[in-house]
Amino acid sequence: LSPVCLGSLRRAASINAEYMGNHRNFSSHTVILSHGKQSSSSCRCDGFSRWNWENRLQEKCLEREMNVVMADIQAFRVKESARELQEKYPEKDVLAVATDVSSWESVQNLRDKTLERFGRVDYLFNNAAVIGDYITGGQFRGLETAKWVLSVNLFGTIHGHHAFVPQMLKQGNECHIINTSSTLGFQTPNGNYPISKHGIVAVSEALHHELTGLKSNIKVHVMMPGIADTPFQVNIGNTRNQHQTIVLSSR
């Protein structure tokens, strides 16, 4: 397991860009990035996220001849983001798939459309998240909100594992799963959001141990950003704003 503790998503962009720039040949690899409403790390190319780290990551992937799959609960937004990327990189392949990561059927659809288009998956970024009741608490208030936060943040990640790990194992090549937790994955303040982020660390560690036992070529990473100046912070009080996921695949 590779934990990456980050103070901001800007630093995350720097690390990812450096990795993409210095690593092996990525030609025709496929990357999946998952998102949702008002994501703290939105994949929009118009600066929706202040640091726009996902934009930088996706552009790096396209520059490395990779195929990019963008998943977001808001169909219009993800298609518009994909269109903007496609215009900037007309010779590259970008796929947009409307996806609700809290729905197993929706994540299965994301997998099926990715494999239909590209035939493989090499990088999975489980980035979907909702803030829910972080400020107001929720251990004895708002059971439905608690279920909703865990269904998106935690089960969105679990759905990604169940949908894409079997395909990665079948391929047999080196693959990477990057799960976004939070510095709150090491702390326990009030609300269900930190609980979900602790859960992401736990399921990532469990997956790492299972894959190590299988002697697979799949690497599991956890990114743990701190507070960043993005719409995720602006929308803390809106308990129905979702976030996104990202998938990268190769031909």
Side-chain angles (χ1 to χ4, degrees):
L1 180 68
S2 173
V4 184
C5 301
L6 305 171
S8 73
L9 295 178
R10 188 178 191 180
R11 176 60 180 152
S14 175
I15 290 175
N16 281 310
E18 180 181 354
Y19 178 80
M20 298 300 292
N22 298 332
H23 202 47
R24 57 183 170 74
N25 182 13
F26 290 96
S27 178
S28 294
H29 280 61
T30 300
V31 186
I32 304 178
L33 304 103
S34 70
H35 309 267
K37 296 179 184 176
Q38 304 300 325
S39 177
S40 63
S41 47
S42 170
C43 60
R44 287 185 65 91
C45 300
D46 59 2
F48 181 81
S49 170
R50 178 163 187 158
W51 302 122
N52 219 5
W53 75 272
E54 286 182 6
N55 177 25
R56 186 176 177 187
L57 173 59
Q58 291 165 58
E59 291 186 355
K60 276 291 182 181
C61 291
L62 292 170
E63 290 169 3
R64 299 291 171 183
E65 305 298 327
M66 301 176 76
N67 306 309
V68 173
V69 183
M70 302 166 62
D72 193 306
I73 194 171
Q74 295 188 27
F76 172 79
R77 188 173 76 177
V78 71
K79 290 179 180 178
E80 180 66 15
S81 298
R83 182 190 64 77
E84 292 170 356
L85 272 179
Q86 197 74 75
E87 288 180 353
K88 188 171 183 178
Y89 299 91
E91 297 180 357
K92 304 302 187 295
D93 209 343
V94 181
L95 173 65
V97 183
T99 305
D100 178 357
V101 298
S102 69
S103 164
W104 170 234
E105 292 74 16
S106 186
V107 177
Q108 285 180 299
N109 178 65
L110 172 63
R111 176 200 60 200
D112 294 344
K113 287 187 180 301
T114 298
L115 296 180
E116 179 182 353
R117 180 78 159 265
F118 300 120
R120 60 185 292 160
V121 173
D122 301 277
Y123 291 80
L124 171 65
F125 285 76
N126 281 311
N127 190 52
V130 291
I131 197 75
D133 56 358
Y134 175 46
I135 296 299
T136 61
Q139 289 310 295
F140 57 92
R141 294 172 292 181
L143 180 59
E144 290 307 311
T145 298
K147 290 180 178 179
W148 175 65
V149 171
L150 294 176
S151 72
V152 175
N153 298 4
L154 181 55
F155 274 90
T157 301
I158 294 172
H159 289 159
H161 293 171
H162 281 264
F164 292 102
V165 169
Q167 174 62 32
M168 291 178 170
L169 288 171
K170 181 179 178 181
Q171 291 169 193
N173 62 298
E174 181 179 320
C175 297
H176 293 264
I177 297 172
I178 301 89
N179 296 327
T180 301
S181 178
S182 165
T183 52
L184 292 178
F186 285 146
Q187 307 170 42
T188 312
N190 61 321
N192 293 292
Y193 180 78
I195 295 173
S196 70
K197 293 304 181 177
H198 274 262
I200 289 172
V201 174
V203 299
S204 300
E205 291 179 341
L207 179 62
H208 161 72
H209 291 303
E210 184 173 350
L211 293 173
T212 299
L214 294 174
K215 300 185 184 305
S216 78
N217 291 319
I218 304 173
K219 312 300 181 183
V220 183
H221 313 267
V222 179
M223 186 167 69
M224 310 190 74
I227 296 175
D229 185 7
T230 72
F232 188 82
Q233 302 299 323
V234 173
N235 289 280
I236 282 179
N238 189 335
T239 60
R240 285 299 167 183
N241 277 340
Q242 252 196 62
H243 301 254
Q244 305 173 325
T245 302
I246 304 169
V247 182
L248 306 180
S249 66
S250 47
R251 245 176 225 133

